[in-house]
Amino acid sequence: MTLSRVNVALSVLLAAMLLAAWAIRVDPQTPNWEFLPDMQYSPAPEALGSSGSFPDGRAWQPSPAETIAREQMPLHYAATAADAIRAGEELVSPIAKDDAKARAAGAAVYRVNCAMCHGPQGHGDGPSTKRGVPPPPSFITGKSVQMKDGQLMHVLTYGQGGMAPFGTQLTIGERWQAIAYVRELQAQGAAAAQPAAAPAVTEPTNVSPAAPSERDKP
Ligand code: HEC
């Protein structure tokens, strides 16, 4: 007897649940109910959204006049060959030659931004050159060996021929780091090109290419 009572109770419960499900009719298109949505909605506006906090109603405010955002120091050159030469005369890398940390950071910048075209060792044979991108000149044998650091900065910032400008992708610090790493690749390339003769071992200073020591001369 008790069993049939349980069955009746369960049937009633099932009917009540079906009725409730029909009454609620969950619509998968609409969001669920929110219960205590305390932190669901942040008062912080989206960068490109609007904000009542400023007179112009914009969330993202332009920099105040006569200020420069950190790491966004502008260079004042035109994207011309003449200004590339001028940049070579005027701009000096802030990275010391023995700054291994900056060169390691430059290696990371290079790996991500340059190696696909210029190749891991700077020979101008990156993977993209096998797929239609015109191969860039070698850093080891090309004219970049003679170019001053500031001129490389001009190439990196404003581009040159088939090379796109990186002025907006990389901070100026990252560009200097990449240049420091290009110098390291050039030193390695020059060392590898040396015949394995005794003088290269006894006079290791001869191993570095002309450009880095040239640019140190006043
Ligand atoms: C999409 C391919 C590509 C990428 C990525 C690229 N370059 Fe280049 N780069 C070129 C090409 C092509 C040239 C030759 C441009 C010309 O003179 O016509 C070049 C030229 C240069 C030169 C001048 C070399 C010379 O002998 O005139 C330098 C320096 C240089 N690139 C550095 C870099 C650095 C550093 C990066 C990474 C931050 C980089 N490039 C990323 C394709 C690329």
Side-chain angles (χ1 to χ4, degrees), residues 109-118 128-129 133-139 141-145 147 151-153 155-156 159-164 166 170 174-175 178-179 182 186:
V109 173
Y110 185 89
R111 209 164 42 238
V112 172
N113 298 281
C114 323
M116 76 290 265
C117 291
H118 286 277
S128 68
T129 64
V133 174
S138 162
F139 287 146
T141 57
K143 62 182 181 343
S144 61
V145 178
M147 283 156 77
Q151 209 174 336
L152 298 190
M153 174 54 84
V155 173
L156 273 179
Q160 171 190 294
M163 155 100 185
F166 277 80
L170 301 175
E174 289 167 332
R175 277 171 272 157
I179 290 167
V182 167
Q186 290 175 335

Side-chain angles (χ1 to χ4, degrees), residues 28-190:
Q29 306 284 334
T30 58
N32 287 332
W33 288 337
E34 288 168 0
F35 178 66
L36 298 179
D38 297 326
M39 292 173 70
Q40 191 121 4
Y41 301 103
S42 159
E46 297 290 320
L48 295 174
S50 54
S51 162
S53 307
F54 299 103
D56 65 359
R58 285 157 53 174
W60 193 356
Q61 292 292 296
S63 323
E66 296 181 23
T67 61
I68 294 169
R70 195 172 294 188
E71 279 283 343
Q72 301 294 322
M73 205 64 170
L75 296 176
H76 299 284
Y77 295 97
T80 61
D83 266 25
I85 304 287
R86 185 163 71 85
E89 302 299 330
E90 295 172 353
L91 297 177
V92 177
S93 172
I95 296 175
K97 249 202 259 175
D98 56 354
D99 189 343
K101 217 171 135 202
R103 279 204 309 270
V109 173
Y110 185 89
R111 209 164 42 238
V112 172
N113 298 281
C114 323
M116 76 290 265
C117 291
H118 286 277
Q121 306 303 322
H123 294 296
D125 58 353
S128 68
T129 64
K130 315 277 186 291
R131 294 171 190 271
V133 174
S138 162
F139 287 146
I140 315 304
T141 57
K143 62 182 181 343
S144 61
V145 178
Q146 306 301 331
M147 283 156 77
K148 301 217 172 108
D149 281 356
Q151 209 174 336
L152 298 190
M153 174 54 84
H154 189 280
V155 173
L156 273 179
T157 308
Y158 301 99
Q160 171 190 294
M163 155 100 185
F166 277 80
T168 49
Q169 273 102 317
L170 301 175
T171 65
I172 193 158
E174 289 167 332
R175 277 171 272 157
W176 282 126
Q177 288 168 351
I179 290 167
Y181 185 66
V182 167
R183 294 302 186 206
E184 181 171 309
L185 288 179
Q186 290 175 335
Q188 287 170 4

